């Protein structure tokens, strides 16, 4: 790993129609969050570059080199890609950590490990999804075909680029679509490498294209394209809204949005093991420096155990090692970029102005490294209306609020515009099920926080999004239904 982490990273190009290109040629420096130093450069793809990628994807789709390939062929290629991701897991994990700052222990599992599993899941699924014969009258035959939609545009964020990229790429490709992928400008390296591995696995040219660059230029060009049929997105609510506008102003492409969260983690006094709950809850907000869409960023604690629980959680949080994400001992890696770090600190300042108390952390650390690091931060006495209780920080900042009844816990839990994830800690089975029903969220964890696999969907309600990734439910986004109505 040490050697890999010192390896120079070659200047990156665009991957279009099975070849590396320099596009219009403008580049941007990729700064590593570990030390703020330039790691390499990526291309800022222009609108013309994006149009070329979309045209290549369309050509590949229309001539059927992948869209009409036998399911067994597609399955084999996607399994081979999963094999290659596993073979290159350490290389991909280290490259990703140098690019985005996630601690290596988490990155190995969550990035190549998870991505390989997602490609396998949809490789296995692709020949188990097929059409229907409708129950029509005797003199007609009604058939419902499932067809790939065409060209999929995928725009993804920087927190888990490979895992989230695979959540889009695997079902899109398994269904027979062509894809143009735009990674986040501060985390593109592993997804560029995936394009190369996909080609090595036998994916035909033009089926997967990767264009890097700024959201407002490269992302906008993709979202405004008249020849992209479906846009799948993970990122912030603000950009999600723009994508809906772009769709309305272009070709009404379908947009599936996975957005942010302000997820409540609710601890009742009858939790089976408060100490264990405190440890898991600390990990549930602070791993990957809080840059996790489902992070349990609001901790709601029942009055009678509030002080005891906050003390335990703060103790566990303080024991988490902030450090160089390439060290195996690190529990909390770097913040992905400097504006994000400054935003995190701004949330803390504002919370203190609004009357919250600082129980732990609150500051930037390890500044001498040149990197972007922040202590795990616990704010107590946060009121539901406070800025830090209403808005996503996407950093290592936990807002703690008390409650004294089940009804109050539900009211506070549901008092934001978000609805991505939640946690409930209780020994009372009936209370657990009632909370699962009442809390508005796409996933409710009971007596744990985080954890999932490809078999269950991830998606939000309210302003956390309008679609799901993972599971067979997510597969539907990548198919069109076509009816054949045949007179007999
Ligand atoms: P972001 O919205 O700033 O960027 C996401 C992507 O959109 C990037 O690739 C960016 O370049 C692109 N983009 C930006 N402006 C654009 C524009 N005008 N047109 C087209 N594309 C544009 O988000 P981020 O900061 O990269 O990621 C953090 C956000 O992602 C958080 O809100 C987090 O909660 C969310 N997230 C959600 C999930 C989920 O599954 N719901 C998972 C991970 C992250």
């Amino acid at each position: 790993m040490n050697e890999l982490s010192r390896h120079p990273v070659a200047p990156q190009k665009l991957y279009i129609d099975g070849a590396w290109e320099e596009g219009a040629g403008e580049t941007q420096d990729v700064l590593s969050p570990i030390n703020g130093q330039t790691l390499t450069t990526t291309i800022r793809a222009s609108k013309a570059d994006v149009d070329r990628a979309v045209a290549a994807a369309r050509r590949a789709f229309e001539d059927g080199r992948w869209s009409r390939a036998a399911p067994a062929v597609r399955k084999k290629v996607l399994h081979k890609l999963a094999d290659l991701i596993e073979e290159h897991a350490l290389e991909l994990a280290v490259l990703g950590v140098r690019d985005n700052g996630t601690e290596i222990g988490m990155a190995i599992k969550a990035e190549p490990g998870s991505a390989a599993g997602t490609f396998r899941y949809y490789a296995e699924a692709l020949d188990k999804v097929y059409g229907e014969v409708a129950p029509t009258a005797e003199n007609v035959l009604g058939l419902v075909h499932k067809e790939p939609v065409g060209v999929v545009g995928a725009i993804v964020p920087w927190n888990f680029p490979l895992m989230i990229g695979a959540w889009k790429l695997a079902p899109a490709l398994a269904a027979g679509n062509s894809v143009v992928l735009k990674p986040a400008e501060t985390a593109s390296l592993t997804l560029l490498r995936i394009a190369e591995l996909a080609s090595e696995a036998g994916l035909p040219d033009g089926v997967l294209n990767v264009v890097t660059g700024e959201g407002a230029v490269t992302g906008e060009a993709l979202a405004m394209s008249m020849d992209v049929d479906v846009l799948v997105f993970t990122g912030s609510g603000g950009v999600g809204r723009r994508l809906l506008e772009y769709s309305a102003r272009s070709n009404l492409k379908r947009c599936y949005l996975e957005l942010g969260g302000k997820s409540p983690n609710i601890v009742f006094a009858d939790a089976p093991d408060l100490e264990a709950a405190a440890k898991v809850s600390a990990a549930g907000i602070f791993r990957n420096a809080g840059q996790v869409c489902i992070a349990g960023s609001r901790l709601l604690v029942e009055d009678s155990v509030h002080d005891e629980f906050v003390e335990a959680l703060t103790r566990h949080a303080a024991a988490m090692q902030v450090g160089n994400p390439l060290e195996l001992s690190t529990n909390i890696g770097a913040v992905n970029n400097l504006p994000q770090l400054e935003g995190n600190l701004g949330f803390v300042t504002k919370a203190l102005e609004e009357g919250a108390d600082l129980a732990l952390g609150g500051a930037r650390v390890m500044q001498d490294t040149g990197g972007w690091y922040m202590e795990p931060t616990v704010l107590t006495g946060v009121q539901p209306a406070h800025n830090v209780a209403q808005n996503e920080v996407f950093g290592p900042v936990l807002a703690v609020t008390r409650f004294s009844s089940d009804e109050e816990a539900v009211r506070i839990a549901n008092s934001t515009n978000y609805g991505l994830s939640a946690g409930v800690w209780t020994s009372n089975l009936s209370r657990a099920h009632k909370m699962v029903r009442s809390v508005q969220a796409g996933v409710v964890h009971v007596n744990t926080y985080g954890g999932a696999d490809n078999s269950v969907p991830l998606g939000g309600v309210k302003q956390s999004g309008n679609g799901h990734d993972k599971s067979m439910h997510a597969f539907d986004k990548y198919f069109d239904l076509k009816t054949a109505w045949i007179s007999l």
Side-chain angles (χ1 to χ4, degrees):
M1 187 169 87
N2 278 344
E3 201 194 314
L4 280 172
S5 68
R6 282 191 293 268
H7 230 268
V9 182
Q12 304 289 298
K13 297 184 180 169
L14 308 176
Y15 196 74
I16 299 177
D17 210 4
W20 292 108
E21 282 198 18
E22 299 205 344
E26 236 190 282
T27 61
Q28 72 164 30
D29 286 343
V30 174
L31 304 182
S32 175
I34 297 176
N35 52 19
Q37 311 245 313
T38 301
L39 186 57
T40 184
T41 56
T42 49
I43 304 275
R44 300 156 78 119
S46 65
K47 179 176 179 312
D49 298 330
V50 172
D51 288 347
R52 240 181 12 270
V54 172
R58 175 62 61 191
R59 268 194 312 278
F61 183 76
E62 295 299 335
D63 73 14
R65 65 187 88 162
W66 179 251
S67 53
R68 288 197 287 277
V73 170
R74 282 188 266 134
K75 181 188 293 243
K76 202 168 168 189
V77 169
L78 295 179
H79 270 304
K80 177 74 184 160
L81 174 56
D83 293 343
L84 289 172
I85 292 173
E86 281 165 358
E87 263 170 49
H88 294 271
L90 192 58
E91 171 209 324
L92 286 163
V94 171
L95 182 65
V97 169
R98 294 171 81 191
D99 198 15
N100 88 332
T102 302
E103 52 276 5
I104 187 78
M106 183 176 220
I108 286 175
K109 280 189 236 142
E111 288 277 272
S114 158
T118 304
F119 279 105
R120 287 201 197 290
Y121 181 90
Y122 289 104
E124 280 308 320
L126 66 85
D127 54 4
K128 286 144 195 102
V129 171
Y130 42 89
E132 296 158 7
V133 181
T136 52
E138 263 304 291
N139 59 342
V140 284
L141 176 60
L143 301 177
V144 183
H145 296 284
K146 284 194 159 193
E147 299 186 334
V149 290
V151 176
V152 173
I155 301 181
V156 296
W158 44 257
N159 57 333
F160 292 104
L162 203 44
M163 175 176 80
I164 295 172
W167 291 349
K168 319 290 189 198
L169 290 180
L173 295 174
N177 298 286
S178 297
V179 180
V180 179
L181 172 71
K182 202 221 68 80
E185 38 283 62
T186 58
S188 354
L189 305 185
T190 50
L191 288 169
L192 287 162
R193 183 79 177 102
I194 286 297
E196 205 167 36
L197 294 179
S199 175
E200 196 180 325
L203 193 71
D205 292 350
V207 176
L208 170 59
N209 307 272
V210 183
V211 287
T212 51
E214 268 176 66
V217 179
T218 315
E220 177 174 329
L222 186 59
M224 284 291 285
S225 169
M226 293 300 285
D227 212 16
V228 168
D229 301 293
V230 166
L231 194 63
V232 286
F233 172 74
T234 295
S236 61
V239 174
R241 275 171 205 275
R242 284 212 192 134
L243 299 185
L244 294 176
E245 283 172 27
Y246 297 152
S247 165
R249 282 166 41 206
S250 55
N251 62 343
L252 293 177
K253 57 181 71 63
R254 277 173 248 157
C255 293
Y256 296 102
L257 310 174
E258 296 293 331
L259 308 175
K262 192 76 223 180
S263 301
N265 181 24
I266 308 167
V267 179
F268 287 94
D270 67 356
D273 179 344
L274 282 171
E275 189 63 32
K279 189 167 184 194
V280 173
S281 298
I285 171 65
F286 296 125
R287 294 301 303 271
N288 200 19
Q291 301 163 134
V292 179
C293 57
I294 62 164
S297 55
R298 285 186 297 148
L299 179 70
L300 314 187
V301 192
E302 190 164 6
D303 246 339
S304 59
V305 292
H306 176 276
D307 295 355
E308 170 196 349
F309 191 78
V310 170
E311 181 279 317
L313 182 137
T314 307
R315 185 165 25 83
H316 286 294
M320 292 176 81
Q321 183 75 42
V322 182
N324 182 327
L326 287 167
E327 300 289 339
L328 282 169
S329 55
T330 292
N331 306 119
I332 301 176
V335 175
N336 177 261
N337 56 76
L338 188 56
Q340 179 67 43
L341 173 58
E342 287 166 352
N344 297 347
L345 297 170
F347 267 99
V348 176
T349 307
K350 172 99 176 144
L352 298 180
E353 279 166 18
E354 286 188 320
D357 295 311
L358 191 61
L360 183 73
R364 179 176 180 179
V365 289
M366 296 171 58
Q367 212 157 337
D368 55 322
T369 60
W372 308 311
Y373 299 89
M374 183 173 171
E375 302 175 282
T377 297
V378 179
L379 295 161
T380 52
V382 174
Q383 298 305 309
H386 283 174
N387 181 55
V388 74
Q390 288 295 317
N391 296 300
E392 184 182 44
V393 179
F394 215 55
V397 179
L398 179 66
V400 186
T401 303
R402 295 169 179 270
F403 68 86
S404 52
S405 67
D406 294 37
E407 294 69 31
E408 190 186 12
V410 170
R411 198 166 58 245
I412 298 172
N414 292 342
S415 68
T416 73
N417 289 329
Y418 293 108
L420 191 54
S421 171
V424 177
W425 299 82
T426 177
S427 303
N428 180 326
L429 188 64
S430 159
R431 169 182 274 158
H433 282 289
K434 282 185 185 160
M435 294 301 288
V436 170
R437 284 187 185 172
S438 316
V439 174
Q440 297 165 327
V443 51
V444 182
H445 305 92
V446 178
N447 294 332
T448 184
Y449 200 91
D453 74 19
N454 283 306
S455 60
V456 290
L458 175 72
V461 297
K462 296 159 79 180
Q463 292 181 31
S464 285
N466 65 359
H468 288 95
D469 280 322
K470 307 200 297 176
S471 84
M472 294 304 283
H473 299 285
F475 217 4
D476 288 343
K477 297 189 284 206
Y478 301 97
F479 291 102
D480 267 332
L481 297 180
K482 179 187 278 176
T483 297
W485 187 258
I486 302 166
S487 173
L488 298 178

